[in-house]
Amino acid sequence: QVQLVESGGGSVQTGGSLRLSCAASGYTYSSYCMGWFRQAPGKEREGVASIDIDGSTTYADSLKGRFTISRDNAKNTLYLQMNSLKPEDTAMYYCARAITYGGSCDFGYWGQGTQVTVSS
């Protein structure tokens, strides 16, 4: 059974940093593309970043340079380092796993989310 458990959210002031973690279990972690998504109140869920099984990464254009996604296959853990946070980054952040084995980033498994709140 796939389980994705996020942690590391919280409240910070503008310009602060947070590192989110996602502990994965129930499958061969290194064999699937992983990603982070977020959803702000009243808005649709949007993609933040993804990391493929070979370590290649993609980011939402608006977040390049501030957010960094990484994965530790030995620890079955996904990370999102968020720097220079802005109030518009306030959202629930979700960890996601691809449905397809071996590198297709077709996300279909989701964690419960961790809240990030940035105050001005």
Side-chain angles (χ1 to χ4, degrees), residues 10-23:
S11 296
V12 296
Q13 292 189 326
T14 297
S17 297
L18 283 173
R19 189 175 82 154
L20 306 184
S21 299
C22 171

Side-chain angles (χ1 to χ4, degrees), residues 38 59 62-68 81-86 88-89:
R38 69 183 184 182
Y59 294 91
S62 62
L63 301 176
K64 288 180 181 177
R66 294 196 297 123
F67 288 16
T68 303
Q81 178 68 43
M82 305 186 295
N83 298 327
S84 302
L85 284 162
K86 305 175 181 180
E88 51 263 44
D89 294 319

Side-chain angles (χ1 to χ4, degrees), residues 23-95:
S25 61
Y27 68 99
T28 304
Y29 175 75
S30 61
S31 297
Y32 291 86
C33 179
M34 299 292 296
W36 288 99
F37 289 73
R38 69 183 184 182
Q39 187 168 20
K43 295 187 177 181
E44 293 188 354
R45 187 176 295 185
E46 63 174 347
V48 172
S50 65
I51 183 165
D52 211 335
I53 60 173
D54 62 359
S56 59
T57 58
T58 61
Y59 294 91
D61 287 342
S62 62
L63 301 176
K64 288 180 181 177
R66 294 196 297 123
F67 288 16
T68 303
I69 189 171
S70 61
R71 64 191 300 165
D72 186 334
N73 290 338
K75 295 182 178 180
N76 289 359
T77 303
L78 179 72
Y79 301 100
L80 184 69
Q81 178 68 43
M82 305 186 295
N83 298 327
S84 302
L85 284 162
K86 305 175 181 180
E88 51 263 44
D89 294 319
T90 295
M92 186 71 79
Y93 284 72
Y94 298 91
C95 171

